[in-house]
């Protein structure tokens, strides 16, 4: 096999695996691929609606075909939610691939991949860091939380414990 | 038609019309006392996610746009969608400032498909961070 064929095979493999959810070992998780409508939770639940799902400033969810509403609380980036991944699809049907977490405290969805339904292009649910990196050129996206100006400001003001003046002992 | 039968007709039309209009959830007025938490870390239990030990991580997650909730004494979790007429529920600076605080809020609770969605009308009390967990749990999740 020449190098080109191997590369092509690897790329195919990567493309194939780019749309299959991975288990995280969380209680009550179930790998799930489902078509659903992206909705603004506040609007869907209370009728208090905003243009374009609040333009990234409102929490979003999936309205399933059976009428069930599931909040999407997580994407694939460390310490980040899925609003940046879903906001561009406000009001549209997507295929969501990820983990349905049927926790009795709160059912929720962790998004890993998404595409516009039924046959849009798959993309990873990693647009939080993608957008953060665009807004913070030169800073390492994978460690965004260590470099984010809002985080640094809050921790400088209130400390790591949230209590001003209380510091970890060395 | 006599006035009385007109009224009757209007009333009946109303009765026929109303049930179709809103079969959705209606809110319940509630008062909730509890800790402001990161929804993801707490519900999934991927780490110890309460009090001082988890404050920094809870700030990261809230800045990262994960929904913020209030956990009450019975471990019931309420996802906050709106605070005092502010409908920003994604890294809202006002909410970031009170992460991990013990608060009492008055609001409207909508329960849908197992999720408690809370519209906070008023923050009645804020005791700041009072849940001292770091002595037992260190700093989550990295120890620094
Ligand atoms: Cu955490």
């Amino acid at each position: 096999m020449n190098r080109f064929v191997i590369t092509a095979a690897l790329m195919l493999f990567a493309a194939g695996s780019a749309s299959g959810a991975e288990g995280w070992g969380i209680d009550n998780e179930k790998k799930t691929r489902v078509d659903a409508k992206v909705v603004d939770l506040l609007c869907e639940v209370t009728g208090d609606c905003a243009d374009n799902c609040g333009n990234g400033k409102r929490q979003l969810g999936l309205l399933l075909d059976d009428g069930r509403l599931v909040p999407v609380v997580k994407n694939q980036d460390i310490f980040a939610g899925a609003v940046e991944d879903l906001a561009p699809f406000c009001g549209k049907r997507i295929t969501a691939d990820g983990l349905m977490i049927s926790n009795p405290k709160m059912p929720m969805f962790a998004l890993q991949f998404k595409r516009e339904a039924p046959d849009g292009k798959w993309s990873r649910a990693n647009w939080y860091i993608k957008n953060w990196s665009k807004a913070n050129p030169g800073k390492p996206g994978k460690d965004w939380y260590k470099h984010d100006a809002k985080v640094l400001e809050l921790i400088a003001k209130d400390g790591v414990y949230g209590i001003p003046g209380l510091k970890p002992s060395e | 038609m006599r006035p009385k039968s007109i009224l009757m007709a209007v009333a009946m039309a109303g009765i026929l019309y109303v049930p179709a209009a809103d079969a959705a959830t209606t809110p319940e007025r509630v008062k909730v006392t509890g800790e402001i938490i990161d929804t993801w870390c707490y519900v999934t239990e991927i780490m110890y996610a309460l009090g001082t030990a988890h404050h920094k991580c809870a700030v990261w997650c809230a800045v990262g746009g994960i929904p913020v909730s209030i956990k009450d004494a019975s471990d019931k979790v309420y996802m906050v969608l709106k605070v005092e007429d502010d409908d920003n529920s994604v890294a809202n600076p006002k909410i970031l400032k009170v992460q991990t605080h013990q608060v009492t809020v008055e609001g409207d609770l909508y329960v849908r498909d197992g999720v408690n969605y809370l519209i906070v009308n008023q923050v009645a009390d804020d005791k700041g961070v009072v849940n001292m967990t770091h002595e037992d749990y260190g700093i989550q999740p990295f120890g620094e």
Side-chain angles (χ1 to χ4, degrees):
Chain A
M1 225 189 301
N2 67 30
R3 187 174 288 171
F4 173 78
V5 176
I6 293 169
T7 308
L10 282 171
M11 283 175 69
L12 265 178
F13 176 74
S17 65
S19 54
E22 189 186 305
W24 286 359
I26 293 164
D27 281 355
N28 312 296
E29 75 178 24
K30 189 176 177 228
K31 291 178 196 174
T32 301
R33 179 179 290 187
V34 65
D35 284 4
K37 186 179 163 192
V38 174
V39 295
D40 159 3
L41 290 174
L42 185 61
C43 172
E44 180 62 27
V45 171
T46 75
D48 174 355
C49 302
D51 286 348
N52 200 24
C53 297
N55 292 309
K57 287 294 169 194
R58 286 177 168 212
Q59 293 295 336
L60 305 175
L62 298 174
L63 185 60
L64 307 179
D65 287 345
D66 63 5
R68 256 188 318 148
L69 178 66
V70 189
V72 182
V73 305
K74 190 76 188 77
N75 80 347
Q76 266 193 312
D77 292 325
I78 189 163
F79 306 124
V83 172
E84 307 265 351
D85 293 278
L86 293 179
F89 301 98
C90 170
K92 291 184 178 159
R93 279 176 73 76
I94 64 163
T95 307
D97 194 295
L99 301 177
M100 185 72 78
I101 301 168
S102 302
N103 190 302
K105 275 185 186 150
M106 185 187 289
M108 49 171 70
F109 197 86
L111 189 69
Q112 296 186 8
F113 303 92
K114 78 279 179 185
R115 68 175 177 192
E116 193 167 340
D119 54 7
K121 186 170 164 285
W122 283 108
S123 61
R124 279 182 184 273
N126 62 2
W127 288 1
Y128 180 83
I129 287 180
K130 196 175 146 194
N131 292 344
W132 187 93
S133 296
K134 259 183 238 161
N136 293 272
K139 291 185 185 164
K142 70 174 179 52
D143 290 333
W144 73 267
Y145 54 96
K146 294 180 185 168
H147 302 271
D148 183 85
K150 273 177 279 179
V151 169
L152 295 175
E153 188 195 20
L154 283 161
I155 300 300
K157 188 172 130 301
D158 294 337
V160 293
Y161 299 132
I163 300 173
L166 182 63
K167 292 195 173 82
S169 43
E170 293 299 305
Chain B
M1 224 189 282
R2 291 187 338 209
K4 206 174 182 182
S5 30
I6 292 172
L7 273 179
M8 188 69 88
V10 170
M12 283 179 69
I15 287 163
L16 291 174
Y17 176 73
V18 169
D22 187 14
T25 47
T26 44
E28 179 196 345
R29 274 267 141 135
V30 290
K31 190 174 200 174
V32 176
T33 295
E35 181 175 325
I36 302 185
I37 58 161
D38 166 48
T39 309
W40 172 252
C41 287
Y42 177 75
V43 172
T44 60
E45 299 179 29
I46 54 170
M47 65 182 78
Y48 182 80
L50 293 173
T52 49
H54 188 257
H55 176 71
K56 186 157 80 165
C57 187
V59 166
W60 292 337
C61 291
V63 170
I66 295 174
V68 167
S69 293
I70 301 177
K71 181 201 87 77
D72 75 5
S74 65
D75 294 343
K76 197 167 169 180
V77 179
Y78 302 83
M79 185 191 291
V80 175
L81 291 185
K82 191 172 182 179
V83 178
E84 294 176 340
D85 290 329
D86 185 350
D87 67 353
N88 178 0
S89 55
V90 180
N92 183 337
K94 251 194 264 175
I95 302 175
L96 293 175
K97 271 201 305 206
V98 294
Q99 186 56 287
T100 324
H101 287 202
Q102 176 82 13
V103 295
T104 297
V105 304
E106 282 159 20
D108 293 320
L109 171 65
Y110 294 80
V111 181
R112 172 135 175 214
D113 301 319
V115 181
N116 303 308
Y117 296 101
L118 187 64
I119 309 307
V120 173
N121 297 323
Q122 202 201 343
V123 180
D125 189 31
D126 179 354
K127 298 210 181 319
V129 177
V130 294
N131 190 9
M132 308 297 275
T133 58
H134 63 278
E135 279 167 21
D136 290 332
Y137 294 94
I139 299 175
Q140 296 284 327
F142 302 133
E144 58 172 353

Short mmCIF file of all heavy atoms in Angstrom, two decimals, chain A residues 68-109:
data_model
loop_
_atom_site.label_atom_id
_atom_site.label_comp_id
_atom_site.label_asym_id
_atom_site.label_seq_id
_atom_site.Cartn_x
_atom_site.Cartn_y
_atom_site.Cartn_z
N ARG A 68 -40.58 15.80 24.05
CA ARG A 68 -39.73 15.95 25.22
C ARG A 68 -38.68 17.03 24.99
O ARG A 68 -38.12 17.15 23.90
CB ARG A 68 -39.01 14.63 25.53
CG ARG A 68 -39.61 13.88 26.71
CD ARG A 68 -38.74 12.70 27.09
NE ARG A 68 -38.25 11.97 25.92
CZ ARG A 68 -37.06 11.35 25.91
NH1 ARG A 68 -36.26 11.38 26.95
NH2 ARG A 68 -36.68 10.70 24.82
N LEU A 69 -38.40 17.79 26.03
CA LEU A 69 -37.39 18.84 25.97
C LEU A 69 -36.21 18.45 26.85
O LEU A 69 -36.39 18.09 28.01
CB LEU A 69 -38.01 20.14 26.49
CG LEU A 69 -37.10 21.36 26.55
CD1 LEU A 69 -36.68 21.80 25.15
CD2 LEU A 69 -37.80 22.51 27.28
N VAL A 70 -35.00 18.52 26.28
CA VAL A 70 -33.80 18.17 27.03
C VAL A 70 -32.81 19.32 26.97
O VAL A 70 -32.45 19.78 25.88
CB VAL A 70 -33.10 16.92 26.43
CG1 VAL A 70 -31.98 16.45 27.35
CG2 VAL A 70 -34.08 15.81 26.18
N PRO A 71 -32.37 19.82 28.12
CA PRO A 71 -31.36 20.88 28.08
C PRO A 71 -30.01 20.29 27.66
O PRO A 71 -29.65 19.19 28.05
CB PRO A 71 -31.30 21.37 29.53
CG PRO A 71 -31.80 20.24 30.37
CD PRO A 71 -32.75 19.44 29.50
N VAL A 72 -29.28 21.05 26.84
CA VAL A 72 -27.93 20.64 26.45
C VAL A 72 -26.97 21.45 27.30
O VAL A 72 -26.88 22.67 27.15
CB VAL A 72 -27.68 20.88 24.95
CG1 VAL A 72 -26.29 20.39 24.56
CG2 VAL A 72 -28.73 20.17 24.11
N VAL A 73 -26.29 20.79 28.21
CA VAL A 73 -25.50 21.55 29.20
C VAL A 73 -24.00 21.51 28.93
O VAL A 73 -23.25 22.25 29.56
CB VAL A 73 -25.77 21.05 30.64
CG1 VAL A 73 -27.26 21.09 30.94
CG2 VAL A 73 -25.24 19.66 30.86
N LYS A 74 -23.55 20.66 27.99
CA LYS A 74 -22.11 20.45 27.86
C LYS A 74 -21.75 20.23 26.40
O LYS A 74 -22.53 19.63 25.66
CB LYS A 74 -21.76 19.19 28.69
CG LYS A 74 -20.29 18.93 28.88
CD LYS A 74 -19.65 19.84 29.89
CE LYS A 74 -18.13 19.67 29.91
NZ LYS A 74 -17.48 20.35 28.77
N ASN A 75 -20.56 20.70 26.01
CA ASN A 75 -20.03 20.31 24.72
C ASN A 75 -18.78 19.48 24.97
O ASN A 75 -18.61 18.92 26.06
CB ASN A 75 -19.78 21.53 23.82
CG ASN A 75 -18.48 22.26 24.15
OD1 ASN A 75 -17.85 22.02 25.19
ND2 ASN A 75 -18.07 23.15 23.26
N GLN A 76 -17.88 19.38 23.99
CA GLN A 76 -16.70 18.52 24.16
C GLN A 76 -15.50 19.27 24.69
O GLN A 76 -14.46 18.67 24.93
CB GLN A 76 -16.34 17.87 22.82
CG GLN A 76 -16.96 16.50 22.66
CD GLN A 76 -16.35 15.76 21.49
OE1 GLN A 76 -16.22 16.31 20.40
NE2 GLN A 76 -15.97 14.51 21.69
N ASP A 77 -15.60 20.57 24.84
CA ASP A 77 -14.46 21.35 25.35
C ASP A 77 -14.43 21.29 26.88
O ASP A 77 -15.48 21.27 27.52
CB ASP A 77 -14.60 22.81 24.92
CG ASP A 77 -14.42 23.00 23.43
OD1 ASP A 77 -13.60 22.27 22.84
OD2 ASP A 77 -15.10 23.88 22.87
N ILE A 78 -13.24 21.34 27.42
CA ILE A 78 -13.12 21.28 28.87
C ILE A 78 -13.81 22.50 29.51
O ILE A 78 -13.64 23.62 29.06
CB ILE A 78 -11.62 21.16 29.27
CG1 ILE A 78 -11.50 20.89 30.77
CG2 ILE A 78 -10.80 22.39 28.86
CD1 ILE A 78 -10.12 20.36 31.18
N PHE A 79 -14.62 22.21 30.52
CA PHE A 79 -15.34 23.23 31.30
C PHE A 79 -16.24 24.15 30.46
O PHE A 79 -16.41 25.32 30.81
CB PHE A 79 -14.37 24.10 32.12
CG PHE A 79 -13.43 23.31 33.00
CD1 PHE A 79 -12.05 23.46 32.88
CD2 PHE A 79 -13.92 22.42 33.93
CE1 PHE A 79 -11.18 22.73 33.69
CE2 PHE A 79 -13.06 21.67 34.74
CZ PHE A 79 -11.68 21.83 34.62
N ALA A 80 -16.81 23.62 29.38
CA ALA A 80 -17.63 24.51 28.55
C ALA A 80 -18.98 23.90 28.17
O ALA A 80 -19.12 22.68 28.05
CB ALA A 80 -16.87 24.89 27.28
N GLY A 81 -19.94 24.77 27.98
CA GLY A 81 -21.28 24.38 27.57
C GLY A 81 -21.40 24.32 26.05
O GLY A 81 -20.41 24.43 25.33
N ALA A 82 -22.63 24.15 25.57
CA ALA A 82 -22.83 23.89 24.14
C ALA A 82 -23.55 25.03 23.41
O ALA A 82 -23.94 24.87 22.26
CB ALA A 82 -23.60 22.59 23.96
N VAL A 83 -23.69 26.17 24.07
CA VAL A 83 -24.45 27.25 23.43
C VAL A 83 -23.78 27.72 22.14
O VAL A 83 -24.45 27.96 21.13
CB VAL A 83 -24.67 28.42 24.42
CG1 VAL A 83 -25.29 29.61 23.71
CG2 VAL A 83 -25.56 27.97 25.57
N GLU A 84 -22.45 27.81 22.15
CA GLU A 84 -21.75 28.27 20.94
C GLU A 84 -21.94 27.27 19.79
O GLU A 84 -21.95 27.65 18.62
CB GLU A 84 -20.24 28.41 21.21
CG GLU A 84 -19.92 29.26 22.42
CD GLU A 84 -19.62 30.71 22.08
OE1 GLU A 84 -19.50 31.03 20.88
OE2 GLU A 84 -19.53 31.51 23.02
N ASP A 85 -22.07 25.99 20.14
CA ASP A 85 -22.26 24.96 19.11
C ASP A 85 -23.67 24.97 18.56
O ASP A 85 -23.88 24.63 17.40
CB ASP A 85 -21.97 23.57 19.71
CG ASP A 85 -20.51 23.41 20.06
OD1 ASP A 85 -19.74 23.11 19.14
OD2 ASP A 85 -20.14 23.61 21.23
N LEU A 86 -24.65 25.32 19.41
CA LEU A 86 -26.05 25.19 19.00
C LEU A 86 -26.67 26.49 18.51
O LEU A 86 -27.60 26.46 17.69
CB LEU A 86 -26.88 24.66 20.18
CG LEU A 86 -26.57 23.23 20.61
CD1 LEU A 86 -27.44 22.84 21.79
CD2 LEU A 86 -26.79 22.25 19.45
N ALA A 87 -26.18 27.63 18.99
CA ALA A 87 -26.82 28.91 18.64
C ALA A 87 -26.95 29.11 17.12
O ALA A 87 -27.98 29.61 16.66
CB ALA A 87 -26.07 30.07 19.29
N PRO A 88 -25.94 28.72 16.32
CA PRO A 88 -26.10 28.90 14.88
C PRO A 88 -27.25 28.08 14.29
O PRO A 88 -27.65 28.32 13.15
CB PRO A 88 -24.75 28.41 14.30
CG PRO A 88 -23.79 28.45 15.44
CD PRO A 88 -24.61 28.20 16.67
N PHE A 89 -27.76 27.11 15.04
CA PHE A 89 -28.84 26.25 14.54
C PHE A 89 -30.19 26.57 15.19
O PHE A 89 -31.11 25.77 15.13
CB PHE A 89 -28.49 24.77 14.79
CG PHE A 89 -27.22 24.32 14.14
CD1 PHE A 89 -26.03 24.27 14.84
CD2 PHE A 89 -27.22 23.97 12.79
CE1 PHE A 89 -24.86 23.85 14.24
CE2 PHE A 89 -26.05 23.55 12.18
CZ PHE A 89 -24.86 23.50 12.89
N CYS A 90 -30.30 27.74 15.79
CA CYS A 90 -31.54 28.13 16.48
C CYS A 90 -32.76 27.89 15.59
O CYS A 90 -32.81 28.36 14.46
CB CYS A 90 -31.46 29.60 16.85
SG CYS A 90 -33.03 30.27 17.44
N GLY A 91 -33.73 27.14 16.12
CA GLY A 91 -34.98 26.89 15.39
C GLY A 91 -34.89 25.84 14.30
O GLY A 91 -35.88 25.52 13.67
N LYS A 92 -33.67 25.33 14.10
CA LYS A 92 -33.48 24.33 13.04
C LYS A 92 -33.43 22.92 13.62
O LYS A 92 -33.16 22.74 14.79
CB LYS A 92 -32.16 24.59 12.30
CG LYS A 92 -32.18 25.84 11.47
CD LYS A 92 -30.88 25.99 10.71
CE LYS A 92 -30.92 27.24 9.84
NZ LYS A 92 -29.58 27.70 9.49
N ARG A 93 -33.65 21.96 12.74
CA ARG A 93 -33.46 20.57 13.15
C ARG A 93 -32.01 20.18 12.95
O ARG A 93 -31.42 20.45 11.91
CB ARG A 93 -34.35 19.65 12.31
CG ARG A 93 -35.79 19.59 12.79
CD ARG A 93 -36.62 18.76 11.86
NE ARG A 93 -36.35 17.32 11.98
CZ ARG A 93 -36.78 16.56 12.97
NH1 ARG A 93 -37.49 17.08 13.95
NH2 ARG A 93 -36.52 15.27 13.00
N ILE A 94 -31.46 19.56 13.97
CA ILE A 94 -30.10 19.05 13.84
C ILE A 94 -30.10 17.56 14.16
O ILE A 94 -31.06 17.04 14.73
CB ILE A 94 -29.09 19.77 14.79
CG1 ILE A 94 -29.46 19.50 16.27
CG2 ILE A 94 -29.02 21.25 14.51
CD1 ILE A 94 -28.32 19.81 17.23
N THR A 95 -29.01 16.91 13.78
CA THR A 95 -28.74 15.59 14.32
C THR A 95 -27.73 15.81 15.44
O THR A 95 -26.65 16.34 15.19
CB THR A 95 -28.14 14.65 13.25
OG1 THR A 95 -28.99 14.66 12.11
CG2 THR A 95 -28.03 13.23 13.79
N ALA A 96 -28.14 15.47 16.63
CA ALA A 96 -27.26 15.65 17.79
C ALA A 96 -26.69 14.30 18.15
O ALA A 96 -27.41 13.31 18.23
CB ALA A 96 -28.04 16.21 18.96
N ASP A 97 -25.37 14.27 18.34
CA ASP A 97 -24.72 13.03 18.72
C ASP A 97 -23.97 13.29 20.02
O ASP A 97 -23.22 14.25 20.13
CB ASP A 97 -23.74 12.62 17.60
CG ASP A 97 -23.28 11.19 17.75
OD1 ASP A 97 -22.60 10.89 18.74
OD2 ASP A 97 -23.62 10.36 16.88
N GLY A 98 -24.23 12.46 20.99
CA GLY A 98 -23.59 12.68 22.29
C GLY A 98 -24.16 11.75 23.32
O GLY A 98 -24.53 10.62 23.02
N LEU A 99 -24.24 12.25 24.54
CA LEU A 99 -24.71 11.42 25.65
C LEU A 99 -26.00 11.97 26.22
O LEU A 99 -26.07 13.14 26.61
CB LEU A 99 -23.65 11.38 26.76
CG LEU A 99 -22.27 10.84 26.37
CD1 LEU A 99 -21.31 10.94 27.56
CD2 LEU A 99 -22.38 9.40 25.89
N MET A 100 -27.02 11.11 26.23
CA MET A 100 -28.24 11.44 26.95
C MET A 100 -28.01 10.96 28.37
O MET A 100 -27.72 9.78 28.59
CB MET A 100 -29.43 10.70 26.32
CG MET A 100 -30.77 11.06 26.90
SD MET A 100 -31.32 12.72 26.45
CE MET A 100 -31.90 12.44 24.76
N ILE A 101 -28.07 11.89 29.31
CA ILE A 101 -27.80 11.54 30.70
C ILE A 101 -29.11 11.61 31.46
O ILE A 101 -29.62 12.69 31.75
CB ILE A 101 -26.72 12.47 31.29
CG1 ILE A 101 -25.43 12.34 30.46
CG2 ILE A 101 -26.46 12.13 32.76
CD1 ILE A 101 -24.39 13.37 30.74
N SER A 102 -29.68 10.42 31.72
CA SER A 102 -31.01 10.37 32.34
C SER A 102 -30.87 10.34 33.85
O SER A 102 -31.27 9.39 34.51
CB SER A 102 -31.77 9.15 31.83
OG SER A 102 -31.87 9.21 30.43
N ASN A 103 -30.28 11.41 34.36
CA ASN A 103 -30.08 11.50 35.80
C ASN A 103 -31.38 11.93 36.46
O ASN A 103 -32.00 12.89 36.02
CB ASN A 103 -28.96 12.53 36.08
CG ASN A 103 -28.52 12.52 37.52
OD1 ASN A 103 -29.32 12.72 38.42
ND2 ASN A 103 -27.25 12.27 37.73
N PRO A 104 -31.80 11.23 37.52
CA PRO A 104 -33.06 11.60 38.17
C PRO A 104 -33.04 13.03 38.74
O PRO A 104 -34.10 13.66 38.84
CB PRO A 104 -33.22 10.58 39.31
CG PRO A 104 -31.95 9.80 39.36
CD PRO A 104 -31.17 10.04 38.11
N LYS A 105 -31.86 13.56 39.05
CA LYS A 105 -31.79 14.95 39.53
C LYS A 105 -32.09 15.93 38.40
O LYS A 105 -32.69 16.97 38.60
CB LYS A 105 -30.40 15.26 40.08
CG LYS A 105 -30.24 14.85 41.51
CD LYS A 105 -28.89 15.28 42.04
CE LYS A 105 -28.71 14.73 43.45
NZ LYS A 105 -27.30 14.46 43.75
N MET A 106 -31.60 15.61 37.22
CA MET A 106 -31.84 16.46 36.06
C MET A 106 -31.42 15.73 34.79
O MET A 106 -30.23 15.51 34.56
CB MET A 106 -31.05 17.77 36.17
CG MET A 106 -31.37 18.74 35.03
SD MET A 106 -30.32 20.19 35.01
CE MET A 106 -30.94 21.07 36.43
N PRO A 107 -32.37 15.37 33.93
CA PRO A 107 -31.98 14.80 32.65
C PRO A 107 -31.28 15.86 31.81
O PRO A 107 -31.67 17.03 31.85
CB PRO A 107 -33.32 14.41 32.00
CG PRO A 107 -34.37 14.63 33.03
CD PRO A 107 -33.82 15.52 34.08
N MET A 108 -30.25 15.48 31.08
CA MET A 108 -29.50 16.48 30.31
C MET A 108 -28.78 15.79 29.15
O MET A 108 -28.62 14.58 29.13
CB MET A 108 -28.49 17.19 31.21
CG MET A 108 -27.66 16.25 32.04
SD MET A 108 -26.31 17.05 32.92
CE MET A 108 -27.14 17.98 34.13
N PHE A 109 -28.34 16.63 28.21
CA PHE A 109 -27.62 16.10 27.05
C PHE A 109 -26.23 16.72 27.00
O PHE A 109 -26.07 17.92 27.23
CB PHE A 109 -28.38 16.42 25.76
CG PHE A 109 -27.96 15.59 24.58
CD1 PHE A 109 -28.54 14.35 24.34
CD2 PHE A 109 -27.00 16.05 23.69
CE1 PHE A 109 -28.16 13.57 23.25
CE2 PHE A 109 -26.60 15.28 22.59
CZ PHE A 109 -27.19 14.03 22.38
#
